[in-house]
Amino acid sequence: MSLLAVRGLTRRFGGLTAVDAVSFDVHESSIKAVIGPNGAGKSTLFNLITGFDRADEGSVTFDGAALVGKRPDAIVRAGLARTFQNTELFEDLTALDNVRIAADVGHPGGFLRSAVRFRLASGERDGAARAAYLLRLTGIDGFADTLARDLPHGTRRLLEIARALATAPRLMLLDEPAAGLNGAETRTLIDALYRIRDEGVALVVVEHDMGLVMEVAEEIVVLDRGAKIAEGPPLLIQKDRAVIEAYLGEECGDDGC
Ligand code: ADP
Ligand code: MG
């Protein structure tokens, strides 16, 4: 069953179609990547799904309910969280308290409605214990008592993911989570993504790090100039002619690219 269904989603800025009739599905507890050259429409697509921008056409259905027209906070409460390209933390609070505070956004009525969200919320009823659990899940529990402003860059990015998890999402959209991470931090991130997925949270990741994308993504959506030009598992995407052309800017002939 599809957890998120995007259908014909379109956003125009003047004469530019930033997102052009894009459709795809995200299944429960899966990892999907969205890739494409700069300006392909990836961030705009995330903004449309999460209520930060309004689509001109198309629909977004999450867990059977229409999302288009809903406000960002209502979408978070429905179980769809996101992170941004730029991190925003409470700099004077510890990593643990940053996660505890984020949890307050995610306690609407019906919080324990789904089994997945119950698992994320239960067992650790105490806010601090639950926050510590989410720091373990994201691989940064060693930094629980460090002030946000003293954290290394990669740990900040992971803390942002822990904060998004504190809202007990069933689906999380991550915009370039590996940007600026070194090799060891990227490894921590990849391991965290698998643990989060195994907790029953579906992930959609926009990312330029092709090593990460090809390793973690079960399926990849490729955007070019707003339109979806390919979708499928990593091994097929790597061989896809339209994808190679979009990335290398070359025309492919019959004898290859
Ligand atoms: P990506 O994240 O794939 O790099 P974006 O979604 O940020 O791409 O941008 C897609 C296109 O839409 C770009 O050409 C960008 O300049 C344009 N764009 C994005 N946001 C706006 C906006 N608010 N107003 C006008 N043009 C925009
Ligand atoms: Mg972007």
Side-chain angles (χ1 to χ4, degrees), residues 42-43 85 175-176 206:
K42 306 179 297 291
S43 292
Q85 262 177 281
D175 201 350
E176 300 195 19
V206 161

Side-chain angles (χ1 to χ4, degrees), residues 17-220:
T17 306
V19 174
D20 191 357
V22 170
S23 301
F24 63 91
D25 288 278
V26 180
H27 301 285
E28 285 193 48
S29 199
S30 67
I31 302 180
K32 182 157 262 184
V34 177
I35 65 172
N38 275 330
K42 306 179 297 291
S43 292
T44 304
L45 175 67
F46 271 18
N47 288 338
L48 296 174
I49 293 171
T50 53
F52 285 83
D53 192 9
R54 193 68 72 97
D56 293 305
E57 289 166 32
S59 67
V60 180
T61 307
F62 176 67
D63 200 11
L67 286 194
V68 168
K70 283 196 180 177
R71 288 161 38 104
D73 54 333
I75 291 174
V76 170
R77 284 196 301 273
L80 203 168
R82 74 174 295 184
T83 63
F84 293 87
Q85 262 177 281
N86 302 310
T87 319
E88 283 195 14
L89 300 170
F90 294 103
E91 300 295 338
D92 295 326
L93 294 181
T94 64
L96 188 83
D97 285 340
N98 264 277
V99 179
R100 289 182 72 172
I101 280 193
D104 292 341
V105 192
H107 279 276
F111 176 58
L112 302 177
R113 194 163 45 90
S114 85
V116 171
R117 302 180 82 188
F118 180 76
R119 267 176 60 202
L120 280 174
S122 68
E124 316 275 26
R125 285 176 193 281
D126 170 65
R130 202 166 89 78
Y133 164 70
L134 294 178
L135 291 180
R136 280 198 301 281
L137 200 63
T138 46
I140 56 169
D141 44 315
F143 294 93
D145 299 324
T146 306
L147 296 181
R149 69 168 118 88
D150 295 328
L151 293 171
H153 175 74
T155 309
R156 294 172 63 86
R157 304 303 313 265
L158 287 158
L159 179 55
E160 205 197 354
I161 294 174
R163 282 172 52 82
L165 280 172
T167 65
R170 297 182 66 197
L171 172 65
M172 204 158 55
L173 308 187
L174 307 175
D175 201 350
E176 300 195 19
L181 269 58
N182 64 33
E185 291 168 337
T186 301
R187 193 67 247 167
T188 305
L189 170 67
I190 289 172
D191 293 342
L193 297 181
Y194 286 135
R195 283 195 297 271
I196 293 164
R197 189 268 320 270
D198 291 345
E199 280 293 313
V201 181
L203 298 171
V204 182
V205 183
V206 161
E207 186 48 62
H208 287 296
D209 182 332
M210 283 305 133
L212 180 149
V213 166
M214 295 301 164
E215 180 176 345
V216 305
E218 289 151 42
E219 283 196 326
I220 301 172

